[in-house]
Amino acid sequence: MPPQARIRFTAKALLRRLLPPGALRALDLVRPGRANAGETRPQALAAELLDLTARLGRTPGETSLLLLGAGRYALEGVHLLAAGFARVTLADPQLAPPDHPAHRRRLREACRRAGLPRADARARLTLLRGTIETLPAPRPEGRVDLIYSGSVLEHVADPRAVFLALRAWLRPDGAMAHCVDLTSHERDHNPFIMLTFPEWLWRRALSPRAPCLLNRWRVDDYERALAGAGFGGCRTEIHATDPAALAAVRPLLAPPYRHLPASALEATCVTFHAAPGSATEHPSRRNP
């Protein structure tokens, strides 16, 4: 990888931390992010979760769901209820208050389009504004059967705390799935370029600020954290890898990534499937 690539990446990262949003927009430096699936394609997300529920041997009518990273509006919650889920809880620190005029209007329109009575939606949809590790644990009757997040955990400073909190939310026979984007989230840069910077520099100057920070965790980090939080039935599904991109930055990798094998680094998109269990199992992996 040419040195100019790291210089451009560093310059953009520093400017994004130093300049106000207006200046970033004027300079076309707004970070390209992945749109929230629940807001942009709620029907597709509902179909994905219906498929996941079926693979777990459950039916939507008997499944309560907790969705992390719901976005600003709770549109996906309406579509999930319309798809047949018994109860849906959405959690996001940026979730708009339910009495916000724009939120009420969007929810009303989503219910109309989905053919779902608003009273039914209010009875079965719970909105939680905050991060899951800071929200109070539910009572036993408030626990859920399924927990899901998509492109959320890579933006959490300490996924261990999230997994520990989720134990209190999940029923003993429940399951969860977390899809994680392991790249640098920059379309015009090597997907592993963030791994070429030392930890002190990344944390202090280059990582995006919360809620968009990137923790740089690799597959093994998530697997160890799940096991340490008491999730015994773990399986890692690897959707995509990029060995060529990893080879391009390999000589520049910073500790601790420098000494890891390629198999521990080359994944770019994975889903971690887990269930509560006292005995940890060696995670099994399925490559693309």
Side-chain angles (χ1 to χ4, degrees):
M1 182 176 67
Q4 296 90 332
R6 295 182 78 230
I7 293 173
R8 288 197 304 270
F9 181 90
T10 302
K12 286 197 297 185
L14 289 172
L15 287 173
R16 285 170 178 158
R17 289 180 68 102
L18 294 173
L19 296 180
L24 293 177
R25 285 191 293 270
L27 295 172
D28 195 24
L29 285 174
V30 175
R31 187 178 183 86
R34 175 178 293 180
N36 184 279
E39 294 185 354
T40 59
R41 50 182 188 91
Q43 295 93 338
L45 179 62
E48 182 179 345
L49 290 174
L50 285 172
D51 178 68
L52 176 61
T53 302
R55 284 188 278 134
L56 291 170
R58 300 176 180 271
T59 63
E62 62 181 6
T63 301
S64 54
L65 171 68
L66 168 62
L67 184 64
L68 305 182
R72 182 164 174 77
Y73 300 111
L75 307 184
E76 68 270 40
V78 172
H79 287 276
L80 291 168
L81 292 175
F85 283 94
R87 181 166 54 89
V88 175
T89 300
L90 306 179
D92 194 300
Q94 301 184 77
L95 192 64
D99 58 349
H100 187 280
H103 203 175
R104 285 204 314 266
R105 183 175 64 255
R106 288 171 181 253
L107 285 175
R108 183 168 58 248
E109 179 62 18
C111 286
R112 185 189 65 80
R113 292 186 177 184
L116 184 70
R118 291 177 61 195
D120 186 23
R122 284 194 295 266
R124 297 192 289 132
L125 180 62
T126 301
L127 307 182
L128 302 174
R129 188 178 186 183
T131 59
I132 198 67
E133 64 271 28
T134 60
L135 291 169
R139 295 183 177 183
E141 63 272 17
R143 293 180 178 178
V144 299
D145 303 296
L146 178 62
I147 298 173
Y148 178 82
S149 73
S151 197
V152 170
L153 290 181
E154 68 266 29
H155 300 297
V156 174
D158 185 9
R160 284 176 293 258
V162 174
F163 294 146
L164 288 170
L166 291 179
R167 280 300 305 269
W169 281 88
L170 197 59
R171 290 177 177 167
D173 60 344
M176 63 182 191
H178 301 281
C179 186
V180 180
D181 181 347
L182 297 173
T183 71
S184 301
H185 287 51
E186 291 280 3
R187 300 188 188 98
D188 56 346
H189 286 283
N190 185 295
F192 304 109
I193 192 171
M194 65 178 175
L195 306 183
T196 66
F197 300 95
E199 183 67 12
W200 67 268
L201 179 60
W202 181 255
R203 285 183 176 270
R204 293 182 183 180
L206 301 182
S207 174
R209 296 184 186 277
C212 298
L213 67 86
L214 291 172
N215 57 36
R216 304 199 299 178
W217 276 33
R218 300 294 94 190
V219 171
D220 289 348
D221 297 319
Y222 287 101
E223 290 175 342
R224 284 193 294 269
L226 281 166
F231 291 95
C234 300
R235 179 174 63 87
T236 301
E237 185 178 2
I238 300 179
H239 303 294
T241 61
D242 197 338
L246 177 63
V249 301
R250 185 86 207 193
L252 301 172
L253 291 180
Y257 313 106
R258 181 181 304 161
H259 304 295
L260 294 177
S263 59
L265 296 170
E266 63 188 14
T268 57
C269 183
V270 304
T271 296
F272 299 99
H273 301 268
S278 56
T280 57
E281 301 173 2
H282 190 70
S284 61
R285 301 185 182 181
R286 188 173 73 195
N287 290 310

